[in-house]
């Protein structure tokens, strides 16, 4: 048994350089894969000087390094204060019931361990066991916040020092919050939620956040209107360019509508698509026009970007963003909001916001996939499936499937338009996360990309390779349908890192691109394997 | 001494009820959580087979929602009676935990039958009629339940102690809980085998308890068994083992809590109330703007730009 597997809960408080390290030889092996993984690049001395880098080989949450005993104590005290608030109904009405039941009823039976792709991919590194972080959190809670009688004796002693706190914060960012572990729990406890609640303490109480999610994420969205920093003028300009480019390329004239009062549908895209995958934006405009829908985009603050990073780390930021999006819909007087291809945005606005939006802002909200399914099945589009005659598999975004149960519409479409569609295993509600879930897909600091490739994205890569086991190699073009911006961001970087286009002729993209690729009214070749 | 055991019995029943009610009421009194369901949701009926939901329909809010009780039972029965999740995801633990749980279920069944006997005796049935009706089954359930529960708790204790992956996450509470079962069930087993094989003493004891008739307990071992059983009975709902009833909420209210807010007056009233809760989070993007309630904080944009 290697040292990482022997890691104990109490190690989290110890004065060691690192808690653990996943070595290349520990990593789960991949099918027919001769890529040699390198060891981690070291974190720079400069970063180590400024921030606490004592968990493993990556730094995601920049916790300022305490320089004095007073600062060390302050870190612990702030954390405990935050934890206290987390267990009050006033500060945490959103999740208190779920958190408390998880704290009180987990049997610590390890039934959830094998469900976690990170635990498996890391070679069963103890830190990735879903209850490792929860157990640390639970012991702190029972001993220092709830102060249960004999708590240390009953649940196990744990030294609470600044290292415990800093490592726990960083550890909350070693989880995709995919909730696959929760799905297997016989009791119904939820270790994913624990990771999210730890993130909340750091953000909402201590003001310590991941810059991509906070300053460059939700705050930028509140300030400029989008986490891409596109203002309303810029976004309209960009979409106009997309309309022009794709009208010319496809021979199908589109003009994306903006701010149409009284339209039936307010479509909200993840604005990242506009910059990174404009073909997704154009594909929606083509399909909606061909189907004759009454629809619009909104140029109101935060309403042209469906992202809501608050879902990953902060309830207040979540509520602010959701309210702005609902307000925009109300202002236009649309009949409903339809979410574009973005999983967490789906979950945020359709489901979580359902018990946050006041009555006057409770505009009906739905996923784009049932709508697309109905359009494809209605016969309104002339479709030629032979244009999609290459192996296609689908990656199920966790937010869309495990957390919302939207599974069949995508498959109805793929079965109709992709003759070589095949499933990954497992799939649907039991899928594995792409590895980018809960915000990592947009992070590229220090060794975060390495972590995303080697650990977080490993299981998904295995699934993809297995799905195409009959067509490996560069001769056969293959397509991974990943109908979510966040998942695409993760797959983009993994595919590029492992040169999957060159070595396997493997590309990823959304669902609407496949629909447009099959439309006979559109010039052939909407889906491309090479940059043109 | 006998009176003290009767007294302990009353205290145990009261403590059990208070613990259960306290846990349930504390849960219910907390504000309704935001939706956090996890699929497959069992009551989705046909859709549950592929893990689907009502959100797979266009204009889902206009459609009548169908909730399938049969669908729920199809998931709950294998989970409760066969511990399906452990079977599927943690096979090495299954045999020991199943023995333990099945033992407990049999003991619950036994207690149910024992209570029928008790009330039959109170209303005046004869000894013969009781033996002929439920006693053989009751004796089987009681005996098998004690044996299985004892074997299961010994196996679980052994696993927690010896398997590194479990030992790391086992607190003294686990060993105390299991130890209490081992001791209590061992005494119950000896009592059953050598003192009260037909549970007649047990029945008479409960009849006496109900009738406040503190007849001296005829056997010391039986008395010890009752003391241990009462302590265990009062103790279980105070521990994480209270999942045996809290699981109802964990499944029905959280995992399968997919009730949408469509003209839902209860949810609307709840939102109206929680948005007026005070917020005291200290981070600068939340605090320091003079906003004190959730409604104020959530509608405040700390980085708002002047309209251009
Ligand atoms: S979360 Fe559930 S499955 Fe995991 S250890 Fe706790 S009780 Fe067991
Ligand atoms: S939520 Fe996902 S990533 Fe996090 S511990 Fe559970 S299975 Fe692992």
């Amino acid at each position: 048994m290697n040292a990482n597997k022997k890691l104990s809960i109490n190690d989290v408080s110890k004065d060691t350089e690192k808690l653990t390290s996943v070595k290349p030889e520990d990593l789960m092996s991949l099918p027919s894969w001769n890529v040699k993984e390198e060891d981690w690049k070291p974190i720079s001395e400069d970063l180590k000087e400024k921030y606490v880098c004592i968990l493993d080989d990556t730094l995601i949450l920049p916790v300022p390094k305490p320089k004095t005993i007073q600062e060390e104590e302050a870190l612990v005290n702030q954390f405990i204060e935050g934890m206290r608030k987390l267990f009050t109904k006033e500060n945490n009405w959103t999740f208190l019931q779920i958190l408390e039941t998880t704290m009180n009823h987990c049997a610590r039976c390890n039934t959830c361990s094998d469900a976690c792709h990170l635990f498996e991919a890391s070679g069963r590194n103890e830190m990735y066991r879903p209850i490792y972080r929860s157990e640390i959190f639970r012991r702190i809670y029972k001993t220092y916040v709830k102060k249960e009688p004999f708590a240390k004796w009953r649940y196990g002693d744990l030294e609470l020092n600044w290292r415990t706190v800093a490592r726990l914060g960083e550890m909350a960012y070693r989880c995709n919050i995919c909730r696959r572990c929760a799905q297997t729990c016989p009791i119904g406890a939820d270790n994913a939620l624990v990771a999210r609640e730890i993130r909340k303490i750091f953000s909402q109480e201590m003001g310590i956040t991941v810059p991509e999610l906070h300053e460059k994420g939700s705050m930028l969205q509140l300030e400029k209107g989008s986490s891409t920093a596109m203002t309303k003028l810029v976004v309209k300009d960009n979409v106009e360019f997309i309309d022009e480019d794709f009208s010319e390329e496809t021979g199908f004239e589109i003009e994306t509508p903006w701010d149409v009062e009284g339209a039936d549908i307010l479509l909200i895209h993840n604005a990242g698509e506009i910059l990174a995958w404009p073909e997704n934006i154009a594909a929606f405009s083509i399909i909606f026009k061909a189907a004759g829908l009454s629809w619009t985009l909104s140029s109101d603050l935060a309403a042209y970007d469906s992202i809501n990073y608050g879902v990953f780390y902060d309830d207040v930021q979540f509520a602010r963003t959701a309210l702005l999006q609902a307000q925009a819909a109300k202002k236009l007087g649309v009949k409903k909001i339809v979410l574009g291809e973005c999983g967490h945005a789906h979950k945020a606005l359709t489901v979580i916001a359902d018990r946050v939006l006041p009555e006057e802002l409770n505009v009906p909200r739905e996923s784009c996939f049932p709508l697309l399914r109905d359009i494809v099945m209605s016969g309104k589009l002339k479709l030629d499936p032979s244009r999609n005659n290459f192996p296609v598999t689908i990656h199920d975004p966790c937010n869309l499937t495990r957390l919302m149960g939207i599974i069949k519409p995508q498959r109805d479409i793929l079965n109709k338009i992709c003759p070589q569609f095949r499933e990954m295993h497992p799939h649907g509600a039991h899928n594995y996360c792409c590895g980018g879930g809960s915000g990592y897909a947009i992070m590229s600091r220090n060794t975060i990309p390495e972590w995303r490739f080697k650990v977080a994205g490993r299981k998904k890569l295995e699934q993809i390779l297995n799905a195409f086991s009959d067509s490996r190699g560069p001769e056969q073009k293959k397509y991974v349908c990943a109908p979510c911006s966040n998942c695409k961001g993760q797959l983009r970087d993994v595919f590029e890192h492992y040169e999957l286009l060159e070595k396997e002729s493997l590309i990823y993209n959304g669902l609407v691109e496949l629909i447009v690729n099959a439309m006979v009214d559109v010039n052939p070749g909407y889906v491309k394997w090479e940059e043109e | 001494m006998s009176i003290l055991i009767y007294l302990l019995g009353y205290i145990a029943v009261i403590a059990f009820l208070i613990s259960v009610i306290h846990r349930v009421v504390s849960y219910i009194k907390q504000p309704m959580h935001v939706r956090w369901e996890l699929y497959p949701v069992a009551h989705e009926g046909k859709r549950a087979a592929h893990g689907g939901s009502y959100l797979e329909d266009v204009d889902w809010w206009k459609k009548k929602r169908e909730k399938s009780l049969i669908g729920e039972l199809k998931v709950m029965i294998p989970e409760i009676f066969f511990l399906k999740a452990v079977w599927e995801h943690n096979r090495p633990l299954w045999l020991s935990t199943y023995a333990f749980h099945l033992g407990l279920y049999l003991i619950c069944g036994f207690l149910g039958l024992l209570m029928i006997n008790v009330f039959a005796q109170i209303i005046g049935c004869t000894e013969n009629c009781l033996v002929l009706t439920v006693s053989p089954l009751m004796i089987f359930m009681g005996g098998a339940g004690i044996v299985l529960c004892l074997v299961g708790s010994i196996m679980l204790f052994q696993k927690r102690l010896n398997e590194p992956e479990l030992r790391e996450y086992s607190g003294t509470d686990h060993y105390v809980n299991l130890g209490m079962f081992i001791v209590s069930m061992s005494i119950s087993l000896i009592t059953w085998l050598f003192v009260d094989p037909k549970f007649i003493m047990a029945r008479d004891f409960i009849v006496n308890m109900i009738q406040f008739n503190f007849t001296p307990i005829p056997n010391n071992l039986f008395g010890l068994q009752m003391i241990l059983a009462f302590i265990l009975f009062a103790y279980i709902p105070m521990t994480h083992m209270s999942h045996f009833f809290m699981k109802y909420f964990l499944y029905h209210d959280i995992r399968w809590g997919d009730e949408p807010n469509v003209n839902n007056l209860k949810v609307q009233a709840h939102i109206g109330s929680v948005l007026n809760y005070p917020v005291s989070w200290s981070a600068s993007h939340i605090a320091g703007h003079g906003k004190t309630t959730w409604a104020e904080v959530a509608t405040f944009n700390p980085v708002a730009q002047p309209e251009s």
Side-chain angles (χ1 to χ4, degrees):
Chain A
M1 189 182 278
N2 73 28
N4 294 327
K5 290 179 185 169
K6 277 199 246 155
L7 193 68
S8 108
I9 291 171
N10 288 302
D11 291 343
V12 75
S13 317
K14 290 191 180 147
D15 182 7
T16 44
E17 195 193 337
K18 280 182 214 172
L19 180 70
T20 188
S21 177
V22 177
K23 298 288 172 208
E25 59 273 20
D26 299 335
L27 294 168
M28 179 190 85
S29 60
L30 291 167
S32 315
W33 189 250
N34 54 8
V35 176
K36 192 175 170 307
E37 300 288 1
E38 303 288 319
D39 207 349
W40 300 91
K41 287 192 208 85
I43 294 181
S44 75
E45 289 306 316
D46 185 38
L47 277 181
K48 283 186 180 168
E49 193 49 44
K50 283 194 199 129
Y51 303 110
V52 184
C53 304
I54 55 171
L55 185 70
D56 52 8
D57 303 280
T58 304
L59 170 65
I60 295 182
L61 181 71
V63 178
K65 193 170 177 178
K67 299 275 188 304
T68 60
I69 292 181
Q70 288 75 16
E71 284 181 11
E72 288 175 1
E73 281 174 1
L75 193 69
V76 175
N77 292 339
Q78 281 178 355
F79 181 79
I80 290 296
E81 185 56 25
M83 196 187 253
R84 235 174 249 132
K85 290 178 188 172
L86 198 68
F87 286 90
T88 61
K89 68 172 189 181
E90 289 78 12
N91 282 299
N92 200 18
W93 52 269
T94 43
F95 286 98
L96 183 59
Q97 281 183 318
I98 313 178
L99 181 62
E100 266 208 350
T101 43
T102 290
M103 284 297 103
N104 291 336
H105 300 292
C106 169
R108 291 160 277 161
C109 66
N110 280 330
T111 301
C112 52
S113 305
D114 289 350
C116 178
H117 57 292
L118 302 177
F119 185 55
E120 187 181 353
S122 65
R124 301 176 75 82
N125 183 298
E126 201 60 31
M127 182 186 73
Y128 288 103
R129 189 185 288 281
I131 55 164
Y132 185 80
R133 99 177 54 74
S134 302
E135 192 49 25
I136 295 165
F137 185 83
R138 180 177 294 107
R139 288 185 187 185
I140 299 174
Y141 166 62
K142 299 269 188 189
T143 308
Y144 299 95
V145 172
K146 202 174 178 201
K147 299 190 174 151
E148 280 188 13
F150 312 111
K152 282 191 179 182
W153 179 76
R154 283 162 73 187
Y155 305 108
D157 198 2
L158 181 81
E159 188 190 338
L160 177 60
N161 60 34
W162 68 273
R163 289 185 188 84
T164 324
V165 170
R167 281 185 174 132
L168 190 58
E170 184 68 28
M171 229 184 284
Y173 287 91
R174 294 296 182 282
C175 166
N176 285 112
I177 316 194
C178 71
R179 298 181 69 207
R180 198 168 191 275
C181 50
Q183 205 177 31
T184 63
C185 175
I187 310 281
D190 192 339
N191 292 308
L193 181 79
V194 175
R196 186 177 181 275
E197 298 297 283
I198 298 169
R199 294 179 181 195
K200 269 165 58 176
I201 296 180
F202 276 82
S203 175
Q204 296 177 192
E205 181 64 17
M206 304 162 80
I208 299 173
T209 50
V210 170
E212 291 87 345
L213 296 181
H214 192 66
E215 290 90 356
K216 296 184 213 156
S218 65
M219 288 301 253
L220 204 52
Q221 190 171 14
L222 294 175
E223 183 189 342
K224 307 270 187 202
S226 162
S227 64
T228 60
M230 284 188 289
T231 60
K232 76 196 243 180
L233 291 177
V234 175
V235 77
K236 283 173 115 173
D237 262 3
N238 283 345
V239 172
E240 202 180 314
F241 282 132
I242 292 173
D243 287 347
E244 284 167 15
D245 277 3
F246 283 89
S247 295
E248 191 183 327
E249 183 190 318
T250 60
F252 191 100
E253 203 63 37
I254 47 170
E255 190 180 339
T256 301
W258 284 96
D259 301 316
V260 180
E261 283 185 25
D264 289 346
I265 294 169
L266 165 62
L267 175 67
I268 314 186
H269 287 297
N270 177 317
E273 304 272 354
I274 296 168
L275 301 179
W277 300 284
E279 61 277 15
N280 184 276
I281 303 294
F284 267 99
S285 297
I286 291 169
I287 296 167
F288 279 20
K289 181 178 177 194
L293 302 186
S294 153
W295 69 289
T296 184
L297 302 185
S298 164
S299 65
D300 274 3
L301 193 75
Y304 52 88
D305 190 352
S306 63
I307 71 129
N308 189 338
Y309 289 154
V311 167
F312 303 143
Y313 77 102
D314 189 304
D315 287 349
V316 172
Q317 295 294 85
F318 164 80
R320 285 173 172 160
T321 310
L323 286 169
L324 286 173
Q325 290 164 341
Q327 273 163 6
K330 196 79 197 169
K331 190 173 119 191
L332 288 172
V334 294
K335 293 197 178 113
K336 62 184 172 188
I337 296 174
V338 170
L339 276 313
E341 292 190 358
C342 178
H344 89 272
H346 263 74
K347 171 81 183 171
L349 199 56
T350 315
V351 175
I352 303 181
D354 204 35
R355 290 184 190 162
V356 175
L357 296 175
E359 193 175 1
E360 62 279 12
L361 291 178
N362 191 3
V363 180
R365 305 164 306 279
E366 74 180 16
S367 162
C368 62
F369 298 106
L371 182 63
L372 290 166
R373 187 253 325 266
D374 285 8
I375 292 171
V376 166
M377 298 300 163
S378 71
K380 282 183 187 156
L381 312 182
K382 277 185 241 139
L383 297 165
D384 175 6
S386 70
R387 287 189 177 189
N388 284 334
N389 196 10
F390 40 81
V392 173
T393 190
I394 185 166
H395 158 66
D396 284 305
C398 306
N399 281 294
L400 197 63
T401 53
R402 183 163 29 258
L403 311 190
M404 288 179 77
I406 301 176
I407 293 164
K408 195 161 174 287
Q410 306 88 298
R411 287 165 167 79
D412 290 344
I413 295 170
L414 289 171
N415 281 318
K416 187 168 166 79
I417 65 170
C418 297
Q420 296 191 51
F421 169 60
R422 75 277 309 278
E423 293 281 10
M424 291 183 195
H425 297 286
H427 58 263
H430 302 283
N431 75 322
Y432 281 102
C433 172
C434 62
S438 83
Y440 307 118
I442 49 164
M443 296 180 199
S444 54
R445 281 173 291 128
N446 61 78
T447 57
I448 300 175
E450 270 186 74
W451 179 76
R452 286 169 51 205
F453 306 147
K454 287 199 292 203
V455 182
R458 200 165 191 82
K459 190 68 193 173
K460 184 52 63 179
L461 182 57
E462 181 195 55
Q463 280 198 292
I464 292 171
L465 295 174
N466 281 336
F468 294 124
S469 59
D470 61 342
S471 49
R472 291 285 299 271
E475 300 76 27
Q476 175 64 62
K477 292 176 170 176
K478 303 174 275 285
Y479 187 103
V480 179
C481 172
C484 166
S485 285
N486 204 54
C487 304
K488 283 194 296 194
Q490 169 69 5
L491 294 186
R492 171 189 57 202
D493 298 348
V494 169
F495 281 26
E496 199 180 305
H497 176 74
Y498 291 118
E499 300 174 335
L500 291 178
L501 176 59
E502 296 79 5
K503 293 180 181 162
E504 294 281 346
S505 287
L506 192 54
I507 60 168
Y508 69 90
N509 219 324
L511 180 63
V512 282
E513 291 84 341
L514 285 170
I515 299 174
V516 173
N517 199 51
M519 283 174 66
V520 294
D521 293 341
V522 169
N523 295 336
Y526 198 76
V527 169
K528 296 179 188 62
W529 270 260
E530 308 291 342
E531 280 298 321
E532 285 179 7
Chain B
M1 184 65 189
S2 293
I3 292 193
L4 287 180
I5 297 176
Y6 283 107
L7 203 62
L8 185 65
Y10 298 122
I11 294 170
V13 171
I14 292 167
F16 178 89
L17 290 175
I18 289 177
S19 292
V20 171
I21 292 168
H22 173 70
R23 283 212 189 253
V24 170
V25 170
S26 319
Y27 179 86
I28 293 172
K29 270 179 66 187
Q30 280 171 355
M32 185 193 305
H33 58 84
V34 292
R35 278 174 57 194
W36 196 242
E37 59 262 35
L38 196 54
Y39 288 85
V41 166
H43 57 233
E44 274 292 350
K46 273 193 223 125
R47 280 193 169 119
H50 70 265
S53 74
Y54 60 87
L55 297 169
E56 290 187 327
D57 282 340
V58 169
D59 291 347
W60 55 264
W61 55 92
K62 293 182 184 165
K63 313 226 160 109
K64 194 172 170 296
R65 276 188 68 217
E66 285 166 25
K67 284 180 87 172
S68 160
L69 179 63
I70 297 203
E72 288 195 1
L73 292 176
K74 273 199 304 250
V75 174
M76 282 158 58
I77 289 172
E79 180 52 40
I80 294 171
F81 292 107
F82 301 103
L83 308 187
K84 186 165 173 262
V86 181
W87 172 258
E88 282 182 355
H89 304 289
N90 197 359
R91 196 75 54 93
L93 190 69
W94 185 81
L95 188 61
S96 40
T97 192
Y98 189 59
F100 178 70
H101 282 86
L102 185 60
L104 286 176
Y105 298 155
L106 288 172
I107 290 173
C108 289
F110 156 76
L111 289 174
L113 294 178
L114 185 69
M115 291 310 286
I116 294 174
N117 265 251
V118 162
F119 286 109
Q121 179 164 333
I122 290 173
I123 62 168
C125 287
T126 66
E127 191 73 23
N128 274 350
C129 105
L130 292 177
V131 170
L132 284 176
T133 51
V134 287
S135 284
L137 180 61
M138 186 185 84
I139 292 167
F140 166 76
M141 287 177 108
I146 291 168
V147 170
L148 280 172
C149 192
L150 175 61
V151 170
S153 41
I154 292 172
M155 286 169 80
L156 284 171
F157 196 97
Q158 182 280 124
K159 273 186 169 291
R160 289 216 172 259
L161 202 60
N162 294 323
E163 292 184 5
E165 296 193 347
L166 272 174
R167 190 172 56 218
E168 182 60 29
Y169 298 92
S170 301
T172 318
D173 60 334
H174 281 113
Y175 298 112
V176 169
N177 298 351
L178 290 168
M180 284 173 72
F181 272 101
I182 293 170
V183 172
S184 172
M185 290 301 142
S186 302
I187 299 298
S188 295
L189 183 62
I190 297 168
T191 312
W192 175 56
L193 288 175
F194 302 110
V195 178
D196 187 22
K198 291 189 171 175
F199 298 109
I200 290 172
M201 246 180 239
R203 185 195 63 198
D204 290 348
F205 177 86
I206 296 178
V207 169
N208 288 337
M209 236 182 109
I210 289 174
Q211 295 181 330
F212 298 102
N213 173 13
F214 305 137
T215 310
I217 290 168
N219 179 284
N220 285 344
L221 200 60
F222 178 81
L224 178 62
Q225 172 201 257
M226 292 317 290
I227 292 171
L228 293 170
F230 285 140
I231 292 173
L232 197 59
F233 188 61
Y235 176 71
I236 290 173
M238 296 177 193
T239 68
H240 75 82
M241 290 183 285
S242 48
H243 69 244
F244 81 86
F245 57 93
M246 289 305 291
K247 213 165 152 173
Y248 173 83
F249 298 101
L250 281 150
Y251 272 68
H252 289 79
D253 187 49
I254 298 173
R255 188 181 282 197
W256 300 340
D258 63 347
E259 191 65 39
N261 177 12
V262 179
N263 301 321
N264 190 326
L265 297 179
K266 188 176 155 213
V267 174
Q268 287 301 342
H270 158 78
I271 294 172
S273 132
V274 292
L275 288 180
N276 283 310
Y277 280 174
V279 192
S280 63
W281 292 109
S282 306
S284 61
H285 65 282
I286 303 174
H289 308 284
K291 312 290 173 196
T292 55
T293 66
W294 275 89
E296 287 170 350
V297 166
T299 50
F300 174 70
N301 185 343
V303 283
Q305 300 287 298
E307 269 292 314
S308 52

